[in-house]
Structures are given as C-alpha cells and as structure tokens.
C-alpha cells in the first residue's frame, strides 16, 4: 500500500527541437500513437478523431503476447491543456460495455525552452488497486528505459514531420 501523499511513478524528460504545438498535435492524434512508443504494442487507432477534451475516450488496438495477444485499450483523457499537457488513464471494456480503468496514468507535460520544448513523460500507478497489480504481474509494468525510448520515438516522429 502506498503511504498517503506519496506518488508511485516514473518520470523522464527530453528536449525536443520543436514547438509545443507540433508535439501536442502528435499526442492528440490517436492515429500517431503507435509512433510514440518503442515497441509494436500499440497497433493502430480504433477511434481516429483527434483528442480535444477531458472526458473523451479514445480506443487503440494493442498486441502483447504476454497479455493474450490482441486487445483494445479504451483511454480516458484526464488532463487536456492545449500545447501544455495531456494525460489519459487506460482501461478495458467489459462484456456489459462498461469500461474499467486500471488506475495508472500516462501524462505528457510540454514546457517551451530556447532549444525547443522540454517534454516530461510521467507514468503514475499510485491509484492502481492491489488486485490489478497482482493480475498484471506487478507495477510498474515498464521501466524508466521504456519511457526514455518512448520520448526518443516521439522526438523522431515530430522531427520527421510524418
């Protein structure tokens, strides 16, 4: 159990030689999310509509052999500050149509600087229930190197302009 007030998270930063608007455009486009992570887990967008607000849900096709192969993640947008921050909480839809969220959050904060934009990527699992942690084999499910590689992928994607 996490002590009250203590966050369980990983945080990495990278300066990308681009304006926050260009980076935010990639992060708010579900069709680009497979270009922002270092593996082939994120396959493609089920929902191709751009992300525009807190409360929006966007779905992504995923594939992880250890998780049983193909599945769909339904991501609830929890933070949306244009060109400054975006975050979402992944979840899965049950047979009844309800979405259950695991309690972890992916968040990108964008801070302009003279060299472009400092991008801070946070992976926070503080609110993940113990039973969910046990079900997925513990938390965190990825390490700092995964986040660093994710920002490198985002950097390449933004700079390539494609």
């Amino acid at each position: 159990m996490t002590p009250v007030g203590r966050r369980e998270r990983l945080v990495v930063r990278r300066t990308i030689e681009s304006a926050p608007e260009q980076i935010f455009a990639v992060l708010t486009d579900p069709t680009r999310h497979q270009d922002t992570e270092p593996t082939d887990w994120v396959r493609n967008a089920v929902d191709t509509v751009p992300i525009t607000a807190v409360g929006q849900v966007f779905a992504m096709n995923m594939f992880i052999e250890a998780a049983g192969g193909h599945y769909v993640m339904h991501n609830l947008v929890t933070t949306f500050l244009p060109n400054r921050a975006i975050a979402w909480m992944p979840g899965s839809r049950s047979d009844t149509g309800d979405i259950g969220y695991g309690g972890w959050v992916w968040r990108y904060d964008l801070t302009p600087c003279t060299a472009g934009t400092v991008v801070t990527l946070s992976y926070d699992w503080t609110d993940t229930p113990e039973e969910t942690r046990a079900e997925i084999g513990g938390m965190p499910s990825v390490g700092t190197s995964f986040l660093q590689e994710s920002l490198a992928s985002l950097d390449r994607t933004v700079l390539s302009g494609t």
Side-chain angles (χ1 to χ4, degrees):
M1 189 55 125
T2 304
V4 174
R6 182 168 164 242
R7 304 302 301 171
E8 291 181 294
R9 66 181 176 179
L10 299 175
V11 179
V12 298
R13 289 177 183 80
R14 181 183 184 104
T15 300
I16 296 178
E17 295 178 5
S18 187
E21 296 80 8
Q22 293 169 303
I23 299 165
F24 201 73
V26 171
L27 295 173
T28 57
D29 181 351
T31 68
R32 305 300 306 278
H33 280 214
Q34 75 251 24
D35 301 327
T36 66
E37 60 102 11
T39 67
D40 64 350
W41 294 346
V42 178
R43 293 299 169 97
N44 57 11
V46 174
D47 301 314
T48 59
V49 175
I51 300 164
T52 59
V54 168
Q56 183 175 348
V57 175
F58 66 98
M60 302 296 299
N61 283 309
M62 307 284 291
F63 186 91
I64 300 176
E65 195 70 47
H70 175 265
Y71 62 99
V72 176
M73 279 302 236
H74 298 273
N75 303 286
L76 173 65
V77 178
T78 58
T79 301
F80 188 88
L81 301 169
N83 305 321
R84 293 182 30 221
I86 187 168
W88 55 85
M89 184 175 7
S92 57
R93 191 175 298 279
S94 71
D95 293 337
T96 64
D98 296 325
I99 300 174
Y101 296 98
W104 61 91
V105 176
W106 293 98
R107 180 180 172 116
Y108 293 83
D109 287 282
L110 311 178
T111 306
C113 66
T114 55
T117 304
V118 176
V119 180
T120 303
L121 173 56
S122 305
Y123 166 52
D124 188 318
W125 63 93
T126 304
D127 297 328
T128 302
E130 290 301 324
E131 61 273 9
T132 303
R133 293 171 189 238
E135 182 181 312
I136 63 175
M139 298 298 280
S141 60
V142 297
T144 301
S145 62
F146 181 91
L147 274 69
Q148 292 167 334
E149 292 169 16
S150 292
L151 287 183
S153 295
L154 175 61
D155 191 343
R156 284 189 299 275
T157 298
V158 169
L159 294 180
S160 74
T162 59

